[in-house]
């Protein structure tokens, strides 16, 4: 069995590369790995703030509805495998070690985040999932997660100025980058975006052949088990995604 500690050590050797934007290397590595990104249904979640909470809420809803789920988020708090969850729990050491070992081999030129993303996709492909919720790492258009070929749905949560050196120095430019997760026929839920920022996101999604959907009305959201008005915003996006997916959910959100 591949050794997890040594695989993690090799992964962290790539941390000095930083975040690399661009899909060519990731696509090539995914092809060498047998295209794990094509082996599961996915929901893709982008945004400056709220994307992690929204992804976690949707995963909990999907699991409550009886689906076998995966969740990819970053960063982690204690264990790296917290980033790659199956059925609500971090990937088992043996499964994660095998996937990470293979991702390092298939992607000798990949960055830290690209390897982690490929490892997540390998875990999901090997786990017989019904649905994986995938959080964008940085931006969207050129993020490693955007090799997902045709997600069942996507979302863009709140947008603010972030990583301006890579994403642009206006909210509209950043909206374009994040909304560029859209694919033909893909429904994309928009969170609290207004004015020209929302218009930029809508133009981007429609140009890609996607469909723009509003977040859920305030009055349909049940109690949210997390403090803060922003978490209720995240719940409205997650609830709209659950509706798109046809999930039968109820009770408290984000417990």
């Amino acid at each position: 069995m591949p050794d997890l500690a040594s695989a993690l050590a090799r992964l962290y050797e790539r941390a000095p590369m930083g975040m690399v934007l661009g899909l060519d290397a990731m696509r090539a590595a995914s092809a060498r790995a047998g295209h794990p990104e094509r082996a599961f249904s996915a929901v893709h979640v982008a945004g400056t703030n709220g994307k992690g909470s929204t992804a976690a809420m949707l995963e909990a809803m999907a699991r409550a509805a009886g689906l076998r789920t995966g969740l990819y988020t970053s960063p982690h708090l204690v264990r790296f495998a917290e980033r790659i969850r199956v059925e609500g729990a971090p990937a088992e050491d043996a499964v994660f070690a095998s996937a990470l070992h293979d991702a390092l081999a298939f992607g000798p030129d990949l960055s830290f985040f690209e390897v982690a993303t490929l490892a997540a996709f390998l875990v999901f492909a090997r786990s017989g999932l019904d649905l994986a919720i995938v959080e964008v790492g940085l931006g969207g258009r050129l993020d490693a997660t955007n090799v997902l070929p045709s997600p069942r749905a996507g979302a863009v949560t709140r947008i603010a100025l972030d990583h301006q050196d890579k994403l642009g120095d206006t909210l509209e430019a950043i909206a374009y980058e994040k909304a560029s997760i859209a694919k033909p026929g893909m429904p994309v839920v928009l969170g609290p975006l207004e004015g020209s920022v929302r218009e930029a996101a809508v133009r981007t999604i429609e140009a890609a052949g996607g469909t723009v959907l509003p977040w859920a009305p305030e009055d349909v959201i049940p109690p949210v088990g997390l403090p803060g008005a922003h978490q209720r915003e995240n719940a409205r996006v997650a609830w709209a995604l659950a509706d798109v997916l046809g999930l039968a959910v109820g009770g408290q959100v984000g417990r």
Side-chain angles (χ1 to χ4, degrees):
M1 182 183 74
D3 178 66
L4 179 56
S6 64
L8 283 171
R10 290 169 57 206
L11 173 63
Y12 275 95
E13 289 174 358
R14 304 195 187 187
M17 293 175 64
M19 182 70 80
V20 177
L21 294 181
L23 299 180
D24 290 347
M26 186 69 184
R27 284 173 174 154
S30 297
R32 289 191 291 269
H35 288 295
E37 77 283 3
R38 301 178 183 176
F40 53 88
S41 294
V43 173
H44 206 185
V45 183
T48 304
N49 301 309
K51 63 183 185 292
S53 294
T54 298
M57 289 179 184
L58 179 61
E59 187 276 334
M61 292 178 190
R63 192 157 27 94
L67 300 186
R68 181 170 171 80
T69 60
L71 176 64
Y72 179 51
T73 58
S74 60
H76 62 279
L77 294 177
V78 180
R79 295 174 53 204
F80 192 94
E82 293 169 12
R83 299 175 181 230
I84 306 170
R85 293 179 174 266
V86 175
E87 288 283 83
E92 296 180 358
D93 283 355
V95 173
F96 178 42
S98 176
L100 183 53
H101 173 84
D102 289 345
L104 288 162
F106 290 128
D109 56 342
L110 296 184
S111 68
F112 177 97
F113 183 76
E114 289 170 325
V115 171
T117 301
L118 183 55
F121 291 170
L122 286 166
V123 169
F124 294 161
R126 296 167 180 176
S127 296
L129 302 184
D130 297 310
L131 183 70
I133 295 87
V134 177
E135 177 195 16
V136 169
L138 176 63
R141 181 173 65 94
L142 298 176
D143 185 74
T145 61
N146 206 27
V147 297
L148 289 169
S150 54
R152 289 178 61 185
V156 179
T157 62
R158 183 174 291 279
I159 287 178
L161 294 174
D162 69 313
H163 298 284
Q164 291 168 258
D165 59 323
K166 294 181 173 64
L167 304 181
D169 57 5
T170 68
L171 291 175
E172 292 80 8
I174 292 172
Y176 161 73
E177 292 291 335
K178 295 180 186 296
S180 291
I181 62 170
K183 306 290 190 303
M186 176 178 163
V188 182
V189 175
L190 294 184
L193 310 183
E194 298 179 352
S196 61
V197 179
R198 181 180 179 85
E199 291 172 2
V202 169
R203 283 197 304 271
T204 303
I205 293 164
E206 292 181 344
T211 302
V212 178
L213 299 178
W215 57 348
E218 171 68 23
D219 59 2
V220 307
I221 303 299
V224 176
L226 295 169
H230 63 289
Q231 294 294 5
R232 194 156 183 85
E233 290 182 348
N234 298 334
R236 292 174 67 183
V237 177
W239 198 265
L241 287 168
D243 185 60
V244 169
L245 297 171
L247 302 180
V249 295
Q252 191 179 59
V253 180
R255 286 181 290 185

